[in-house]
Amino acid sequence: MFSFFYSERKKLRQSAATWIEVAERVHRFRRDLLSPAQNQRLLAASGEVRLRLKENAGANRLKPAIESLE
């Protein structure tokens, strides 16, 4: 609600979590339509963002992972 009070890092982490949710939905609903290579790239990019969130990476490492997932 008051996201303008959040730091840039918190906003980036929330954005990353949102992109992971979107990737899970795409995988769940379209995995039969995606080629195996596309499916693998989606899972790898999602895993990379998860790893960066888990290791509490800074913005300089998290932002490229999010962009690759987009």
Side-chain angles (χ1 to χ4, degrees):
M1 182 166 149
F2 294 102
S3 64
F4 56 89
F5 288 127
Y6 293 157
S7 68
E8 191 64 33
R9 182 177 180 159
K10 180 153 177 109
K11 288 179 188 177
L12 189 62
R13 292 181 62 79
Q14 286 177 340
S15 174
T18 301
W19 276 107
I20 289 173
E21 289 176 17
V22 169
E24 288 174 351
R25 285 185 190 155
V26 168
H27 177 67
R28 209 173 31 244
F29 292 119
R30 300 198 179 207
R31 66 177 158 224
D32 57 336
L33 301 175
L34 296 174
S35 70
Q38 289 173 326
N39 198 9
Q40 187 63 27
R41 280 196 318 251
L42 178 65
L43 292 176
S46 177
E48 181 72 22
V49 174
R50 278 183 203 276
L51 178 67
R52 298 291 176 230
L53 281 175
K54 188 173 259 188
E55 66 185 16
N56 207 10
N60 59 347
R61 292 182 66 199
L62 186 58
K63 196 170 234 176
I66 293 170
E67 289 172 357
S68 70
L69 184 58
E70 288 178 4

